[in-house]
Amino acid sequence: MDTRFLARFGRTPADALARLEAELDAFEAQARRLEAQGRWTQAPASGGWSPAQIAEHVLKVNVGCSKAVHLLRSGRDLPPLPRVPGSYQDGRRQSPPAMLPGDGQPWASLEAAWQQARTRLHAAVQAEGPWPDDRCIFHPFLEDLNALQWLQMAAYHTAHHRGQLPAD
């Protein structure tokens, strides 16, 4: 799979983290506006997830990305991990079951976990050690990603789903 598009989200760990921070800040600001407007749990008429469900999904993915970055940078032996390709429905990527959101929670219920995921991503990036290109973990749609690519993926994924939030 061609992952060169991920470089748009930062060519270095510091740049990718800065991009991710900007995307998370923008997502959070939009989440607060939508909740204040009473639109937080409203799913689109065409179906799909509510903003609350999108936020929960992004949170779950970012936790997974932080774990991948940490593990890849740790130097520890990689455990045998499944290589399960992602599925598509009507040409759209489908979330792996573990990343599916629940019914939608108030932002206040997600905020502590959201901040904890940010902290975990920061810690994984700022830890001492190399950023090896040859240590990879399988992604269901992008295949083998190294630590920098997992960080870029978190920024890309957050930006993608922020674009699905209703505009003001």
Side-chain angles (χ1 to χ4, degrees), residues 93-135:
R93 294 175 180 170
Q94 299 300 295
S95 176
M99 301 297 151
L100 289 171
D103 293 333
Q105 302 176 44
W107 176 253
S109 297
L110 294 176
E111 191 168 16
W114 187 273
Q115 295 306 323
Q116 185 177 30
R118 283 182 89 144
T119 300
R120 289 176 59 107
L121 282 160
H122 269 276
V125 171
Q126 294 170 346
E128 293 294 321
W131 286 80
D133 289 336
D134 60 340
R135 286 176 53 89

Side-chain angles (χ1 to χ4, degrees), residues 15-16 39 59 61 66-67 82 96 105 110 117-118 125 131 139:
D15 289 344
R39 300 166 57 198
L59 170 62
V61 169
S66 73
K67 290 177 181 180
Q105 302 176 44
L110 294 176
R118 283 182 89 144
V125 171
W131 286 80
H139 180 280

Side-chain angles (χ1 to χ4, degrees), residues 132-148:
D133 289 336
D134 60 340
R135 286 176 53 89
C136 296
I137 293 177
F138 184 79
H139 180 280
F141 296 101
L142 302 177
E143 299 178 2
D144 290 330
L145 299 181
N146 63 34
L148 175 57

Side-chain angles (χ1 to χ4, degrees), residues 6 8-28 58-59 61-66 69 114 116-125 131 147-160 162:
L6 290 173
R8 293 187 313 225
F9 296 90
R11 293 190 179 277
T12 68
D15 289 344
L17 182 60
R19 177 65 185 270
L20 175 59
E21 282 296 321
E23 295 298 339
L24 290 168
D25 288 344
F27 194 106
E28 289 174 29
V58 170
L59 170 62
V61 169
N62 284 348
V63 168
C65 290
S66 73
V69 172
W114 187 273
Q116 185 177 30
R118 283 182 89 144
T119 300
R120 289 176 59 107
L121 282 160
H122 269 276
V125 171
W131 286 80
L148 175 57
Q149 291 169 321
W150 275 102
L151 183 60
Q152 294 165 330
M153 203 325 266
Y156 158 73
H157 186 260
T158 302
H160 168 74
R162 184 171 60 85

Side-chain angles (χ1 to χ4, degrees), residues 67-79 124 127-132 135 137 147:
K67 290 177 181 180
V69 172
H70 177 75
L71 181 59
L72 289 167
R73 295 200 59 221
S74 73
R76 294 192 323 252
D77 288 341
L78 297 177
E128 293 294 321
W131 286 80
R135 286 176 53 89
I137 293 177

